[in-house]
Amino acid sequence: MAAKITDQGLQRIADTASQTAGYSASRFIRRMAVDDSSTAFVAGATTLGSPANLYSQAFDTAPNRAGLVVTHTATIGTANGNFTIRRVSLHDDTTVSGTSATLVGGIDGLGLTKTVDYSLQLNVRVTYSDNS
């Protein structure tokens, strides 16, 4: 399992934090998605590609920050996301498709089979740090 914040995601975070010329109040992390692609996330990725199965979900509540950790929580109900989830991703728009350029980052290399038998609550924690 690997986690990756994409270059596009880092740029959106920088633009939002500093309200640069590229800043847009509508482009902040707003949605979580799951899909069945086995393609690993890379820094230059802007889209999910073309997964056979994709489901996106709004957050249950506003993300929560504790120190340098931000937690994003979304619950996928029994009727949705019923396939083998290989990736979980965060997006900076309310519309997510395989080709929408909304990808901020995600976790790949998963293998969780979701069925109609249960709801699934996902908590994605992003830790911000200075690695210099």
Side-chain angles (χ1 to χ4, degrees), residues 104-119:
V104 171
I107 303 164
D108 58 39
L110 304 172
L112 173 65
T113 301
K114 164 85 172 58
T115 69
V116 298
D117 297 323
Y118 62 93
S119 301

Side-chain angles (χ1 to χ4, degrees), residues 7-27:
D7 293 342
Q8 176 172 263
L10 293 171
Q11 291 164 6
R12 296 273 199 264
I13 292 163
D15 287 341
T16 303
S18 300
Q19 297 186 14
T20 67
Y23 171 75
S24 170
S26 66
R27 298 308 288 260

